[in-house]
Amino acid sequence: DDEDEDDDEDDENAVYEKSTEASMSKSSTSDDDEDDEYERLKRERLEQLRRERKKQEENLRKGHGEYREISEDEFLREVTSSDLVVCHFYHTDFERCKIIDMHLSDIARRHTYTKFIKINVEKAPFFVNKLAIQVLPTLVLFHDGVVKDRVVGFTDFENSDEFPTARLEWRLAIGGCIEPSLVDEEA
């Protein structure tokens, strides 16, 4: 009887060992699969970051990250060379144009994937006429060189000269020229 008990015990131990080995083998395979998946995700994310960095460098070379004045001769090249462009049509004597200038200077530094430019209406009669600019200030929002939206005067700012920069950012986000996720919620 002792021998039968020993044989039964040996059989149980053998089954347990095989079961443990199989479990460890599955666990090892599972760990390898997880490691492979992690490495794949890591490579994809690094590649995405490289592409974003390259695009940002390209945008900075195109004048993104700053708010600058252009001439009528530069207008078409400027609005068609970037995916997203905000162009401020202004007059030097209009106080509200200066208020928009102040806000856009700040916004341009934070939203480098969008180009921010301004053009003096007195020096650009062709585009003022072509784009039917009648009220100043007017912001024309371009997507791939095509007009997609306009911000005319101060109606979006309750006709008040004092409004937070975030309010203008919010309006530009509605027009699709800046990412809403980067806009302050207090707008």
Side-chain angles (χ1 to χ4, degrees):
D1 279 336
D2 285 339
E3 273 184 37
D4 288 341
E5 284 180 25
D6 287 341
D7 287 343
D8 288 342
E9 202 173 288
D10 289 342
D11 290 342
E12 287 176 15
N13 286 338
V15 169
Y16 175 76
E17 287 175 12
K18 285 182 183 178
S19 155
T20 304
E21 286 174 16
S23 174
M24 289 178 66
S25 176
K26 285 181 187 174
S27 176
S28 176
T29 302
S30 175
D31 287 347
D32 289 345
D33 289 345
E34 287 178 14
D35 288 347
D36 290 346
E37 178 68 9
Y38 172 75
E39 287 301 318
R40 184 187 66 76
L41 290 172
K42 183 177 168 184
R43 280 192 308 276
E44 287 177 5
R45 179 65 177 138
L46 287 172
E47 184 57 35
Q48 178 187 11
L49 290 171
R50 280 187 202 103
R51 283 192 308 269
E52 288 173 5
R53 178 74 178 147
K54 184 178 179 183
K55 180 72 173 173
Q56 183 179 25
E57 289 171 358
E58 179 184 325
N59 283 344
L60 292 174
R61 281 192 299 278
K62 290 180 183 178
H64 294 228
E66 59 187 59
Y67 177 56
R68 59 192 172 80
E69 185 163 358
I70 62 165
S71 68
E72 188 171 51
D73 293 339
E74 298 170 301
F75 183 80
L76 284 177
R77 185 182 73 245
E78 292 291 335
V79 300
T80 58
S81 67
S82 295
D83 298 339
L84 301 171
V85 178
V86 174
C87 183
H88 175 202
F89 285 82
Y90 80 99
H91 190 286
T92 55
D93 294 338
F94 286 34
E95 202 57 40
R96 285 191 163 179
C97 291
K98 293 174 187 173
I99 292 168
I100 292 292
D101 279 344
M102 176 193 70
H103 290 296
L104 289 179
S105 292
D106 184 36
I107 294 169
R109 285 190 297 274
R110 288 185 278 122
H111 298 277
T112 60
Y113 50 86
T114 302
K115 182 186 290 184
F116 291 86
I117 54 178
K118 65 180 180 175
I119 191 164
N120 186 329
V121 294
E122 291 183 311
K123 297 178 181 178
F126 177 79
F127 289 108
V128 167
N129 184 43
K130 193 75 173 162
L131 295 170
I133 306 297
Q134 297 176 352
V135 174
L136 297 179
T138 291
L139 302 177
V140 180
L141 286 54
F142 293 90
H143 293 237
D144 296 321
V146 178
V147 175
K148 291 295 181 179
D149 198 2
R150 295 170 183 255
V151 179
V152 179
F154 274 35
T155 55
D156 289 321
F157 315 114
E158 299 171 3
N159 284 317
S160 171
D161 290 356
E162 295 183 22
F163 60 89
T165 301
R167 176 82 42 86
L168 179 54
E169 282 181 299
W170 168 82
R171 182 57 184 84
L172 296 176
I174 288 175
C177 271
I178 63 174
E179 292 190 27
S181 62
L182 300 176
V183 175
D184 187 351
E185 297 296 324
E186 296 175 21

